[in-house]
Amino acid sequence: MKEMPDILWLEEIRKEDIAAVGGKGASLGEMSSMGLPVPGGFVVTSRAFRHFLIETGIEQPLFSHLENLNVDDNNALEQASKKARALVMKAKMPASLKDRIRESYQKLNGGGMVVAVRSSATAEDLPDASFAGQQETFLNIKGEKNLLDAVQKCWASLYGARAIYYRAKQGFDDRSVNIAVVVQQMINSEKAGVMFTSHPVTGEPLTIIEGSWGLGEAVVSGSVSPDKYVYDQRTGNVIDKLIAQKKTEIVSDGEHGTKTLEIGKERQETPVLSDDEVARLATFGKVAETHYGIPQDIEWSIVGETIYILQSRPITTIRSGATSVKTETGEGKILVKGQGASPGVATGRVVVIRDVKDTGSVKAGDILVTKMTNPDMVPAMQKVAAIVTDEGGMTCHAAIVSRELGTPAVVGTRNATSVLKPGQLITVDGEKGFIYEGALEKPAQAQAPAAAITASPLITATSVKVNVSIPGAAARAAATGADGVGLLRIEHLILGLNKTPGWFIANGREEEFIDELYKGIKIVLDAFNGKPVWVRTLDAPTDEFRNMAGGENEPHEHNPMLGWRGIRRDLQSPDQFRLQVEAFKRLWEKGYDNLGVMFPMVSHPEEFIAAREMMAEWGVDVNAATLGVMIEIPSCAIMIEDFIHAGIDFASFGTNDLVQYTLAIDRNNENVASMYQPKHPAVLALIDQAIEVCRDHGVECSICGQAGSEPPMVTWLVEHGITSVSANIDAIAKIRETVARTEQRIILESARRSHAE
Ligand code: PEP
Ligand code: MG
C-alpha cells in the first residue's frame, strides 16, 4: 500500500482520502476537482500529526491524561484538557516536517500569502464522522513562523475541553481520532456566509443562504443575525428574503488574527446579496449536492464579483418523520416564537445562561435559554432537553450542533432571554419553532412521513392551504405540507372531457360525468388524507364552455363575467347541479369526511339556502356536510352575517372576482388591468368587515383568490384576523413564511406592549 504523505495539495485530494485529510480537507479536494471555485492550498495530513506524536514521544502521556476521565466533572475535564494541550504545544515539531510545511507554503504565491489554517478532524473507525467546530481555525495567518504555530495550535485544539466532551458523549475513542490541518489562501471576504443546498430539516429543494458583511465567521458563530435568502431550485427564483440588522462584522487584523468592527448604520440593513448572487451561489450549491448525491452545508465568500466556496459537508439531519406538538386552539399559550432549528419536542425548566462560565448550573433535563449558543456550550447543550436562543438562523453553528446532538432547538427568537424566566416550565417545539407555557398534555404526534419529508417545518396558527385545479397536481400540492385544499376548481376535470355537462345530460351519459368527477376529486382527497379539501361547485362562464361538444348550445352573453355562471347557473340547471352533488354524495358515503363543498358567485343567502335544500332532497345529510360560500360579490361580503345565520360553515374570499365586482374592472381586460387593485381600500374594507363578522361567529374565513399568494396582502389579512389562506402550489413556502413572520410580529408586539404596561 502507498504510504500516506505528510502534505497533500488540494487538487491531488479526492473524497476517499478522508482518513488522511479529514472531512474538511477531503471535501475541499473533491470540490476543487469538480471545478468549484475553491481557494488554493494544501493539507498537513493526519499522518503528519501521528508522526509528530510518536517522534516527540508525547503519545503515551497525552492519552494517559484522558483515560478514565469523567467528562461530566467540569473541573476534571478542564484540567485534563489543559495538560493535554500543553503537551502538544510544548513539543518541538520535527524539523523534517517543518521543512515540508515551509516548502509548501513557499509554493503558494512565493510564501507571502495570507492563509487560513483550519482543523480537519477524522476518526479512524468512522472517518466521515462530523466534528464540526470542535477544533480551532486560525485566520489571517502570514509568514512561516505564524503558520507553523497555527498548525500546532490546531493539533492542540483536538484536546480542547469541548472536543474531549463531545467525543466521549458520541462514543469515540480519543486514540482513534486524528487531525489534519488545511492551509488555504485566505479570502478577505467582503461578504460571506453559509448555504444549505436543500432545507436542512425537511429536505425540500429550497436552498437557504445566510450571509453578512465581512468574514463568514460572524455567521457561522452566530455572532450576527444574518440576512436569509430562500431560493427555490424548482423554479429558479428567490422566493423569500429576510434582511436582518447586521450590527458587526469580523475582518482580518494586521499580520494574524481577526477583529470585530461595528457596521455603519448605512450598511446595517442593506441586503448583502443581489438576486443574481443568490442564484449563482445556489447553482454552485446544486453542483455540490448533485456531485455528492446528498444535500450540503456550504461556506461561501464573495470578493468583488468573485465567489469562493470555502467548505462543503453533508447535512446529516434531514428527517423523514419529524415530530411536533399538535396544538388545538387554546391549548398551550405560545410565549415565544423563532425558527424551528432542530425538530423534536421537550418540556423542562428554563435556565438562562448569560455567560459560558455559568453553564455549571445547567442540570440534565433543563431547557437552555441563551442569547446565542456557541461551541463552548456543547457540554451544557449535551445535558439539556432543548435549546432556545435569541439570535442565529437555521444555519448558524449552534443550530447545526443541536441537530447533530438530536436536541430540539429553536433559534432566532429575538427575545427568549427576556421573556422566559429562570425556573419557568416550558415546552419547546423544535419543528414549529414555538415555545409554549407549561407542559403540554398532548403527546407528540408523528407526521405522515411523505408530508414530513418535503413539508416546511413552519407550522402557523393561521392555516396555509393550497389551491388545486388538476388532480395530477395533487401530489405536488400535498408535498408542500399545506394544511388542506382551500379551493379545488372542478372545471378542469370537466374541461378535460371536452364536453359540456349539458352534453352528458342530453346524451344520457350522466354516469360517465359523475364518475369522472368522483375519480378526479378522490385523487385530491386521498392526497390530503385527514385534511380539509373544499371542492367548489362548477363555475365556468359560458364563453369557456363554448368550444366543447355541447358548447354550441351555450347562450351568447354580452358579459359572461356577470352572467350565467356559478351557483346561479346550477340553481337554474338542477340536472347539472345534481350530477355534481351525486359525485360528492358518493365520496361522503365512502367515508371522505374531509370533503367540504363551496358555492361560487353567491350574492344572497337565499341562494345558499336553496342549494342546501336541493342537496338535502337528493339525499345528502346537509347537517353533517361542511358547506360554505365564496365571497366574490360585494353583496356577499356585506351580508355575510345573514349567510352565517343561514348556516354556512365557512367563507372564502375569491378576490379575483371580488375585485372586479367591487371596482367594475373586468379581470380579463388588459385596458383596465392597471386599475385592478386587490388592495384597493374599498376591497379591503369589504374584506375587513367580513372577517370581523366571521370571527365574531366563530366561522372559518379564508381566501383562495390570487391575492392569497401575495405576501403583502397575506400580511394584511393575517393582521386583520383571517383564519386561513389558500395559495398556489409554488407560493406555499413563501406564504407560510409570511404568515409565520406576521404572527410572530403580532405576538411580539403584544408581548412588548404588555411588558411596557
Ligand atoms: C376568485 O374569484 O378569486 C376565485 C378564486 O375564483 P376564480 O378565479 O375561479 O373565479
Ligand atoms: Mg371566482
Side-chain angles (χ1 to χ4, degrees):
M1 212 167 91
K2 208 171 102 207
E3 222 208 317
M4 186 195 294
D6 285 339
I7 303 279
L8 276 172
W9 287 89
L10 286 185
E11 49 274 24
E12 301 176 76
I13 297 169
R14 294 294 175 269
K15 61 177 187 294
E16 298 71 38
D17 299 323
I18 195 162
V21 297
K24 199 173 286 179
S27 163
L28 284 169
E30 184 76 10
M31 286 196 303
S32 53
S33 78
M34 75 177 97
L36 289 176
V38 178
F42 59 90
V43 177
V44 182
T45 65
S46 58
R47 175 187 187 264
F49 172 66
R50 280 282 146 185
H51 275 181
F52 162 77
L53 291 186
I54 294 162
E55 283 182 33
T56 54
I58 62 169
E59 195 183 25
Q60 283 320 316
L62 176 70
F63 293 125
S64 68
H65 288 311
L66 305 178
E67 256 157 23
N68 306 321
L69 175 65
N70 172 9
V71 293
D72 288 318
D73 177 342
N74 264 344
N75 275 340
L77 177 64
E78 279 297 338
Q79 283 306 315
S81 159
K82 214 167 149 185
K83 285 181 188 153
R85 279 179 290 136
L87 262 178
V88 175
M89 285 313 294
K90 285 192 184 129
K92 234 167 144 316
M93 192 187 293
S96 59
L97 180 58
K98 268 189 184 170
D99 287 345
R100 275 196 292 277
I101 295 176
R102 283 198 194 105
E103 260 167 45
S104 305
Y105 181 58
Q106 284 302 324
K107 280 193 199 154
L108 270 181
N109 202 24
M113 184 171 275
V114 180
V115 288
V117 181
R118 303 173 187 274
S119 301
S120 180
T122 172
E124 276 161 15
D125 41 355
L126 210 71
D128 55 353
S130 167
F131 297 99
Q134 301 304 317
Q135 289 72 226
E136 306 250 11
T137 281
F138 299 92
L139 299 177
N140 195 31
I141 302 294
K142 193 172 176 195
E144 290 176 356
K145 189 177 165 306
N146 287 334
L147 170 60
L148 291 169
D149 191 45
V151 170
Q152 204 151 346
K153 279 186 184 150
C154 282
W155 289 344
S157 73
L158 193 57
Y159 306 104
R162 66 170 186 260
I164 299 171
Y165 184 93
Y166 187 85
R167 289 197 294 271
K169 289 292 170 182
Q170 298 287 327
F172 289 105
D173 175 4
D174 286 309
R175 288 173 192 271
S176 75
V177 177
N178 278 328
I179 186 163
V181 179
V182 178
V183 179
Q184 199 183 16
Q185 177 194 358
M186 170 87 190
I187 303 301
N188 255 328
S189 346
E190 286 158 14
K191 44 203 182 184
V194 291
M195 148 164 72
F196 276 2
T197 60
S198 290
H199 194 286
V201 177
T202 65
E204 259 183 299
L206 296 174
T207 301
I208 297 174
I209 302 177
E210 291 186 341
S212 193
W213 301 117
L215 300 178
E217 266 52 37
V219 178
V220 175
S221 67
S223 68
V224 71
S225 294
D227 287 356
K228 176 179 167 189
Y229 304 83
V230 181
Y231 178 88
D232 192 330
Q233 293 280 2
R234 293 163 290 203
T235 59
N237 288 325
V238 179
I239 57 166
D240 201 17
K241 297 177 195 182
L242 186 64
I243 307 304
Q245 193 183 15
K246 304 162 286 288
K247 293 194 179 147
T248 56
E249 65 183 328
I250 298 177
V251 297
S252 298
D253 185 20
E255 284 284 293
H256 56 88
T258 56
K259 63 183 173 193
T260 302
L261 297 180
E262 299 280 311
I263 293 177
K265 277 261 174 299
E266 70 296 346
R267 273 199 314 150
Q268 284 190 1
E269 292 187 22
T270 304
V272 165
L273 294 174
S274 66
D275 281 7
D276 180 55
E277 287 170 325
V278 171
R280 285 168 63 209
L281 280 168
T283 306
F284 285 134
K286 189 75 199 159
V287 169
E289 179 173 318
T290 309
H291 179 87
Y292 289 113
I294 178 169
Q296 300 287 301
D297 162 6
I298 285 173
E299 282 180 33
W300 56 268
S301 119
I302 297 182
V303 186
E305 296 279 291
T306 312
I307 290 178
Y308 291 97
I309 300 298
L310 306 179
Q311 194 183 121
S312 180
R313 55 181 176 235
I315 305 172
T316 50
T317 51
I318 293 173
R319 304 208 163 188
S320 57
T323 54
S324 73
V325 174
K326 189 165 174 82
T327 53
E328 270 125 37
T329 320
E331 183 193 332
K333 180 175 157 208
I334 297 173
L335 299 172
V336 180
K337 278 184 172 186
Q339 292 195 52
S342 178
V345 177
T347 299
R349 301 227 170 252
V350 170
V351 51
V352 180
I353 296 298
R354 301 198 190 272
D355 190 306
V356 69
K357 291 201 294 289
D358 303 333
T359 51
S361 65
V362 173
K363 294 185 299 301
D366 283 343
I367 292 183
L368 192 156
V369 178
T370 186
K371 191 165 163 220
M372 169 183 75
T373 54
N374 65 55
D376 289 320
M377 290 187 185
V378 168
M381 289 167 82
Q382 176 73 39
K383 291 185 199 167
V384 296
I387 293 153
V388 180
T389 68
D390 285 355
E391 296 177 355
M394 289 293 276
T395 58
C396 81
H397 182 269
I400 292 170
V401 172
S402 34
R403 282 197 288 271
E404 187 158 323
L405 293 175
T407 306
V410 175
V411 301
T413 62
R414 292 165 193 250
N415 60 357
T417 54
S418 49
V419 174
L420 304 176
K421 301 293 168 233
Q424 187 178 11
L425 190 68
I426 58 168
T427 298
V428 175
D429 186 330
E431 187 172 358
K432 293 178 189 166
F434 291 359
I435 287 101
Y436 299 94
E437 185 173 55
L440 288 193
E441 281 166 22
K442 274 230 149 154
Q445 294 195 354
Q447 306 274 314
I453 290 165
T454 46
S456 156
L458 282 175
I459 304 286
T460 51
T462 311
S463 331
V464 177
K465 301 184 187 176
V466 64
N467 295 342
V468 179
S469 297
I470 322 161
R476 216 156 55 79
T480 62
D483 299 317
V485 174
L487 167 64
L488 171 57
R489 290 182 171 100
I490 59 170
E491 296 77 48
H492 292 269
L493 306 183
I494 296 166
L495 293 176
L497 295 171
N498 218 15
K499 295 177 189 88
T500 64
W503 184 92
F504 286 95
I505 295 161
N507 289 284
R509 308 264 291 265
E510 297 188 351
E511 202 43 48
E512 240 176 80
F513 181 85
I514 295 168
D515 192 47
E516 200 66 28
L517 271 188
Y518 176 92
K519 283 192 306 211
I521 298 170
K522 182 172 174 296
I523 290 171
V524 182
L525 290 167
D526 283 333
F528 285 85
N529 185 17
K531 293 181 179 180
V533 173
W534 293 345
V535 179
R536 184 179 69 178
T537 54
L538 268 179
D539 181 17
T542 45
D543 54 340
E544 287 186 17
F545 278 147
R546 192 161 331 279
N547 296 329
M548 303 170 139
E552 61 283 358
N553 298 325
E554 290 294 301
H556 282 270
E557 298 182 304
H558 278 299
N559 194 335
M561 282 297 183
L562 297 176
W564 210 33
R565 56 177 286 205
I567 196 65
R568 53 181 74 163
R569 179 163 185 175
D570 273 354
L571 293 177
Q572 292 176 24
S573 321
D575 283 341
Q576 176 179 300
F577 189 30
R578 185 177 45 77
L579 300 189
Q580 299 167 63
V581 172
E582 184 58 31
F584 305 150
K585 212 175 90 185
R586 292 183 192 179
L587 286 159
W588 277 318
E589 281 163 8
K590 274 268 174 226
Y592 286 103
D593 48 16
N594 55 332
L595 163 66
V597 172
M598 179 159 72
F599 302 124
M601 296 286 293
V602 289
S603 60
H604 195 286
E606 287 303 334
E607 291 163 333
F608 172 75
I609 293 166
R612 194 182 45 192
E613 278 173 3
M614 286 163 87
M615 291 175 81
E617 260 173 50
W618 295 324
V620 172
D621 178 357
V622 289
N623 294 323
T626 304
L627 304 177
V629 294
M630 289 187 72
I631 305 178
E632 291 174 294
I633 300 178
S635 62
C636 179
I638 293 163
M639 296 179 73
I640 194 66
E641 189 152 15
D642 298 305
F643 278 93
I644 292 169
H645 292 315
I648 59 169
D649 295 307
F650 65 88
S652 179
F653 296 107
T655 42
N656 304 344
D657 282 319
L658 185 61
V659 174
Q660 80 168 344
Y661 300 138
T662 307
L663 306 180
I665 302 294
D666 177 348
R667 64 193 255 196
N668 293 337
N669 183 339
E670 67 281 5
N671 296 322
V672 288
S674 63
M675 295 164 74
Y676 185 90
Q677 294 165 13
K679 289 194 82 180
H680 187 291
V683 177
L684 296 185
L686 286 170
I687 293 178
D688 187 30
Q689 68 90 24
I691 291 177
E692 198 177 324
V693 174
C694 285
R695 286 194 80 84
D696 287 349
H697 291 83
V699 167
E700 180 168 1
C701 186
S702 189
I703 178 171
C704 57
Q706 179 57 31
S709 295
E710 286 154 17
M713 183 70 166
V714 170
T715 301
W716 186 92
L717 289 165
V718 173
E719 283 167 356
H720 287 76
I722 199 144
T723 28
S724 70
V725 173
S726 191
N728 303 333
I729 296 177
D730 62 299
I732 293 298
K734 78 174 175 210
I735 291 305
R736 194 185 279 120
E737 288 218 22
T738 302
V739 169
R741 204 171 302 143
T742 309
E743 290 176 347
Q744 190 170 334
R745 187 166 40 73
I746 294 168
I747 291 166
L748 283 176
E749 277 165 9
S750 97
R752 284 193 191 114
R753 269 198 306 277
S754 52
H755 200 66
E757 276 158 13

